[in-house]
Amino acid sequence: MAKDVEAGGRGEYAGKDYTDPPPEPLVDAEELTKWSLYRAAIAEFVATMLFLYVTVATVIGYKHQSDPAVNPTDAACSGAGILGIAWAFGGMIFILVYCTAGISGGHINPAVTLGLFLARKISLVRALLYMIAQCLGAICGVGLVKGFQSAYYVRYGGGANELSDGYSKGTGLVAEIIGTFVLVYTVFSATDPKRNARDSHVPVLAPLPIGFAVFMVHLATIPITGTGINPARSFGAAVIYNKDKAWDDQWMFWVGPFVGAAVAAAYHQYILRASGAKALGSSSSI
């Protein structure tokens, strides 16, 4: 396995077998004149719309199939179940990240966008435009579900994220923080240029671990909050469902993911990658 080679005792890495891209500018006004920015925003909008349509439709379909009033003999074993719902979320992320990674980076989540912005992977202009596109896409995606399943949408909760009975708001917030940390940490690890260079002999497709991270987090947190870890997903469902409980709990589906994303970005950049130490001329290598 190749290693970093220190040059001249000055903490420089002359023999690196990978290249870290330079930090993106905080504000890049010229970016607003480029079609690539708007093409990427459109890709984020469409991907988030498809993500919410498929996943919320899965949730509504499961609740209908497992409703004792509809299937009194075998309600408990009917429908996709929590495992199937988790697969729907994780599988769609895998598919959509794979499809859009080369265009927009395949964020499909304002928390992922925030984490990459804090790590200076994208500019503020791009981050804000992505978040707007993601939220609008989520609203449209859930709107499609309501339009196609109007008979069941409101009856089965609209796929909205709400804190489950028996859990405190603190528990829900921590669940969202930890769940988003797992996701954003995985995003950084799967797209790290250093790992891509060192593990080039291992054909790991970046969208695969990201999709699995979403799947695993859903298994753990569906019983607590329904699993947000994506402010656009929670916001889009709340807008279309528009019930008091969904709005009352909405804050934790923004605060939790944003805190989790910020912690994951700091952990990866300054602990695992030791960016701060390298900037000060540290001779250590991770």
Side-chain angles (χ1 to χ4, degrees):
M1 182 176 291
K3 295 181 179 179
D4 292 334
V5 178
E6 182 181 349
R10 295 187 301 274
E12 298 175 359
Y13 295 85
K16 286 175 23 175
D17 55 359
Y18 66 96
T19 302
D20 281 316
E24 291 291 329
L26 183 63
V27 178
D28 185 4
E30 185 180 352
E31 197 171 23
L32 290 169
T33 66
K34 298 178 179 179
W35 164 242
S36 60
L37 173 64
Y38 301 101
R39 179 183 63 184
I42 293 170
E44 287 292 308
F45 170 85
V46 172
T48 312
M49 179 180 67
L50 295 174
F51 176 60
L52 266 293
Y53 171 71
V54 171
T55 55
V56 172
T58 301
V59 172
I60 300 299
Y62 161 65
K63 290 187 175 181
H64 172 64
Q65 291 170 330
S66 60
D67 186 347
V70 175
N71 187 7
T73 59
D74 198 22
C77 297
S78 298
I82 290 180
L83 185 63
I85 292 171
W87 271 121
F89 278 88
M92 280 303 292
I93 286 296
F94 168 69
I95 292 167
L96 295 170
V97 171
Y98 177 82
C99 291
T100 60
I103 301 171
S104 66
H107 298 192
I108 320 172
N109 184 336
V112 172
T113 299
L114 176 68
L116 294 173
F117 165 69
L118 293 176
R120 300 292 298 277
K121 305 293 186 182
I122 59 173
S123 69
L124 178 62
V125 170
R126 184 173 292 264
L128 291 176
L129 192 59
Y130 275 18
M131 290 183 186
I132 292 171
Q134 290 156 358
C135 289
L136 292 176
I139 292 171
C140 292
V142 181
L144 288 175
V145 177
K146 184 176 182 180
F148 293 148
Q149 300 192 26
S150 57
Y152 307 127
Y153 179 82
V154 174
R155 183 192 309 174
Y156 297 117
N161 287 127
E162 298 176 352
L163 182 66
S164 300
D165 294 338
Y167 293 96
S168 68
K169 292 185 181 296
T171 299
L173 180 62
V174 171
E176 289 295 308
I177 292 173
I178 295 175
T180 310
F181 176 90
V182 171
L183 169 59
V184 178
Y185 174 36
T186 304
V187 170
F188 275 103
S189 298
T191 59
D192 190 336
K194 185 173 186 176
R195 163 162 291 185
N196 291 340
R198 301 297 173 80
D199 297 342
S200 59
H201 61 289
V202 181
V204 176
L205 192 64
L208 185 59
I210 296 171
F212 263 106
V214 172
F215 167 69
M216 296 304 296
V217 170
H218 274 75
L219 288 181
T221 58
I222 282 176
I224 303 173
T225 61
T227 309
I229 69 170
N230 184 335
R233 177 261 186 272
S234 302
F235 179 72
V239 168
I240 301 300
Y241 186 53
N242 198 27
K243 301 294 182 182
D244 290 343
K245 174 65 172 171
W247 286 119
D248 290 344
D249 294 340
Q250 185 67 197
W251 66 273
M252 75 176 64
F253 299 110
W254 286 84
V255 175
F258 278 178
V259 170
V263 174
Y267 175 64
H268 184 268
Q269 292 295 103
Y270 297 103
I271 304 299
L272 299 185
R273 291 301 308 274
S275 298
K278 289 180 181 179
L280 294 174
S282 170
S283 61
S284 62
S285 174
I286 304 300

